[in-house]
Amino acid sequence: MDTVYELNQVARILISLVAIALIVGPAKADFNATHATNPLWTPHARFHVVWQVLHNSCISLVVLYLLWSPSPAYFTHLYLAAVLNYLWGANFVLTIIAMPSFGGSLADVNGIKPFRFRISQREYLVDTNVFGCIILMSLNTAGVFLISAP
């Protein structure tokens, strides 16, 4: 096999892993008593979280289609798939920036606990959503850097 093909295969796999994580992760985190069925949330807020998860999942299915369907625009499809994944990360960051305007928070008291990291004698807490975003966007970026023109 040639190197360009192998690099593009690795890129497709990395970008696919991000798309799959964006289907599975939010569904697991949000379709439960901390979000979609949380009795403390208003029904309309629960509606929006389900809508958001389903919307993101559908976009991720489009990403997977672009990556793995045969196409004469194969090279363009690789970049388009990566851009669609980046939109998720960009909107996540924009929402964090906008949180003060709507009283938002990264986590609820009854939600997923932050990751705890210990470096030397210090303990660090990192929000699970932020941690996930950094990991997924890093994988996506690695995939983009591996894309090679035929």
Side-chain angles (χ1 to χ4, degrees):
M1 282 196 195
D2 69 50
T3 305
V4 169
Y5 175 80
E6 291 170 354
L7 288 174
N8 285 338
Q9 285 297 93
V10 173
R12 288 166 76 187
I13 290 167
L14 290 174
I15 296 167
S16 293
L17 287 173
V18 173
I20 292 166
L22 292 175
I23 293 170
V24 175
K28 183 171 174 23
D30 296 344
F31 289 159
N32 59 50
T34 66
H35 287 68
T37 60
N38 187 336
L40 300 175
W41 283 26
T42 65
H44 190 66
R46 292 192 301 251
F47 167 83
H48 275 284
V49 76
V50 172
W51 178 16
Q52 171 246 311
V53 170
L54 293 176
H55 178 264
N56 287 342
S57 295
C58 288
I59 289 174
S60 290
L61 291 173
V62 170
V63 166
L64 293 171
Y65 175 80
L66 289 170
L67 290 170
W68 298 102
S69 66
S71 169
Y74 166 78
F75 191 65
T76 302
H77 281 193
L78 288 175
Y79 281 114
L80 182 56
V83 166
L84 289 172
N85 279 347
Y86 279 131
L87 287 176
W88 175 87
N91 285 309
F92 177 80
V93 171
L94 288 173
T95 303
I96 290 173
I97 292 167
M99 280 193 314
S101 69
F102 61 88
S105 173
L106 279 169
D108 287 322
V109 177
N110 64 338
I112 296 172
K113 303 295 181 219
F115 285 106
R116 294 179 180 272
F117 293 98
R118 185 172 294 281
I119 300 174
S120 296
Q121 299 298 321
R122 294 191 68 178
E123 183 173 71
Y124 298 91
L125 300 178
V126 179
D127 178 78
T128 306
N129 296 303
V130 171
F131 182 79
C133 184
I134 291 168
I135 296 298
L136 294 179
M137 294 302 98
S138 296
L139 286 173
N140 205 63
T141 300
V144 168
F145 280 113
L146 291 173
I147 296 173
S148 299

